Amino acid sequence: MQETTANKVAANATSSFTEHLQRDRPELLPFTRPLAGSDLAGQPLQVPHATTIVAMTHAGGIVMAGDRRATMGNIIASRHIEKVFPADQYSVLGIAGTAGIAIDLTRLFQVELEHYEKIEGTLLSLDGKANRLGAMIRGNLPMAMQGLAVVPLFAGFDTAAGVGRLFSYDVTGGRYEEQEHHAVGSGAMFARGALKKLWRPNLTEAEAIAVAVESLYDAADDDSATGGPDPVRQLWPVVYTVNRAGARRVADRELADIAGTIIESRAAARREA
């Protein structure tokens, strides 16, 4: 009996872990679970939402950063949430939107890429990764129609082209390659304004990290759902860099120095806005 089951699994093997679940265990997918109580009195569920994510290219790859605040209506649900994750060795994923579903989708995407590598014996191309993420977001569309949307930001180092690349999405899974920089989440409008002024071609990695932190600082200044650097609690943004050597999380001590410099310079200038 066990041998028959094993043979059936082997015969149905696919390089896509998500397709495998859709065929054999669809109830395990985050966007196919029943949402009990979501339509009570026509009101959407009050759940934590994650914002804000910024990403940009630089001379050697890409940088992605996210603040640490999650909100639930007018309440701060968490000051410690992490919104930027390594997808695999050469790519990272930032989440905005409904936090619980976004984190589940992130984990599924990580398994999807690992599964492909084990089955095919090679890494999926950056375009292939971006396309598969779009398909997962499209699968979440029924939940998005109930107000539980997930809008990620995806970036990585294209080993074939030797450059960092950046992709944004809409709730239908539409994929758009961004040039230079981009931001998503409730503070995105303010972060993009900062990026337009601070970003320039051929930034070094260290300069790009500083620009990412300052753009999140500006977003937090005008968007209550975005949390800025917090020296009292020693909370700093989550920042990842990806280059030819792979993905790296920037150390908190480095981010503390950058945030301290920004705060000191603005305090010295006595800036109101």
Side-chain angles (χ1 to χ4, degrees), residues 15 18 37 44 49 74 83 88 100 120 127 133 144 148 152 157 163 182 184 221 224 232 249:
S15 62
T18 307
H49 282 70
N74 65 324
K83 309 172 189 178
D88 68 357
E120 299 295 334
D127 281 305
L133 180 58
L148 303 178
F157 187 81
V163 296
H182 196 66
V184 295
D221 217 23
S224 62
V232 174
R249 179 166 176 165

Side-chain angles (χ1 to χ4, degrees), residues 3 81 94 97 105 128 171 208 234 267:
E3 185 178 352
I81 189 171
L105 279 176
V171 293
Q234 293 291 294

Side-chain angles (χ1 to χ4, degrees), residues 47-50 95-104 140 143-144 147-151:
V47 294
H49 282 70
I95 58 171
T98 307
I101 296 175
I103 291 172
D104 275 357
N140 189 59
M143 302 284 271
L148 303 178
V150 176
V151 185

Side-chain angles (χ1 to χ4, degrees), residues 12-73:
N12 292 332
T14 171
S15 62
S16 173
F17 184 73
T18 307
E19 289 179 5
H20 171 67
L21 288 183
Q22 286 174 333
R23 183 180 59 237
D24 296 329
R25 296 294 301 277
E27 73 279 3
L28 295 180
L29 290 169
F31 39 76
T32 58
R33 298 171 189 165
L35 194 60
S38 63
D39 57 350
L40 295 177
Q43 298 297 318
L45 287 175
Q46 288 292 316
V47 294
H49 282 70
T51 56
T52 300
I53 309 297
V54 301
M56 73 197 75
T57 60
H58 62 81
I62 63 97
V63 166
M64 184 177 290
D67 78 301
R68 303 294 296 275
R69 178 174 292 178
T71 58
M72 191 164 57

